[in-house]
Amino acid sequence: SERIRPVPHRPMDRLDRIFQEAQNRAASEDGGPKRGLEAALARDGEDDASKRAAMSVADRVLADYERGDYFSCLGLPPPDCDDAGRPVWDVTDAAISKAYRRASLAVHPDKNPTPEAKAAFDKLNDAVRALRDDVRRGEALRTFADAAFKEKCRANPQLMAKARKDQERRDAADYGAAIRAQRAQQLERAMARREKASAASRRRRGDEDASASSSDVSTDGDSDDAAREVDVQKKKGEESGGDRVEAERGPSSEAAVASGGGGGVK
């Protein structure tokens, strides 16, 4: 019998990392002024709105694309997350197409001849392809959901404990499903082996029956030939015996007839 290989649980590294970053950010905010990278990020966040307002449409598209923000490229709302950290984004394909048509008008080379517009138009086309591709869209959604979950955990650290329990339940369910799938595959392979062996056995029995049947037919044919030969010989013997009887009986009968005839005349 085949062994069922254990299915490892998915690691909790991502949730742990998110929670740690949220805790670090909360501690930094509560403990004093920001320094180093944290301060730089804060300044970038504060200046982001003013910088984007001063940028052209083409420059904004290029900047958003470089950050992997396909949603802002097209002017779509950013994804959110639920309390378990899963992505939430209810934008339809029709809305994506409409946003692309609206954004492409501003950077289309026929309407905006600048080099930045041509590059932005190419990036815009790749952005809409990314959001229509299940794999690339899933990666982008996961990235934004992680960022949103960090903020939620920073505001409410209890979400991390709840998310951890939810993750453990999902891991247990996935583990059970994987075990059931392995058992079903093993059963299917065993049934296939039994069916193959049964088919081979039926073929062997069929060959043996065909061989025995041909042997019986040959024996019956030989017996019929022998019986016909005996009948032929018997008929030949009867015919030759009759001829001898007629030959022996012929002259005496004629003499008797002649003698009888003479007596009658007298």
Side-chain angles (χ1 to χ4, degrees), residues 90-197:
D90 56 356
V91 176
T92 63
D93 290 341
I96 293 174
S97 298
K98 184 177 180 180
Y100 167 73
R101 288 192 298 268
R102 183 175 58 250
S104 63
L105 290 176
V107 294
H108 197 283
D110 293 342
K111 297 182 179 297
N112 191 338
T114 63
E116 293 81 4
K118 175 64 171 62
F121 184 74
D122 294 339
K123 300 302 184 183
L124 199 65
N125 280 287
D126 189 65
V128 74
R129 284 194 296 268
L131 293 184
R132 287 172 177 168
D133 181 81
D134 292 339
V135 176
R136 296 179 67 186
R137 180 174 60 190
E139 292 174 352
L141 290 174
R142 182 74 268 168
T143 299
F144 273 78
D146 287 350
F149 193 58
K150 290 176 184 178
E151 294 299 323
K152 286 190 175 183
C153 289
R154 185 176 64 85
N156 183 9
Q158 293 179 353
L159 285 178
M160 179 54 66
K162 182 177 182 300
R164 189 187 298 275
K165 291 181 180 179
D166 291 342
Q167 185 67 57
E168 289 174 353
R169 283 195 294 268
R170 287 195 297 271
D171 288 343
D174 292 343
Y175 182 82
I179 292 297
R180 289 191 295 271
Q182 287 187 17
R183 288 176 177 171
Q185 291 174 0
Q186 291 176 1
L187 179 61
E188 184 178 352
R189 287 194 292 266
M191 292 177 64
R193 288 194 297 268
R194 286 197 295 269
E195 180 61 27
K196 185 177 180 181

Side-chain angles (χ1 to χ4, degrees), residues 229-239:
E229 183 65 24
V230 170
D231 292 340
V232 170
Q233 294 298 330
K234 185 183 293 184
K235 289 180 180 179
K236 287 182 179 180
E238 291 175 352
E239 290 175 356

Side-chain angles (χ1 to χ4, degrees), residues 230-258:
V230 170
D231 292 340
V232 170
Q233 294 298 330
K234 185 183 293 184
K235 289 180 180 179
K236 287 182 179 180
E238 291 175 352
E239 290 175 356
S240 62
D243 293 341
R244 286 196 301 272
V245 170
E246 291 294 334
E248 293 173 355
R249 196 170 54 185
S252 59
S253 299
E254 292 175 357
V257 169

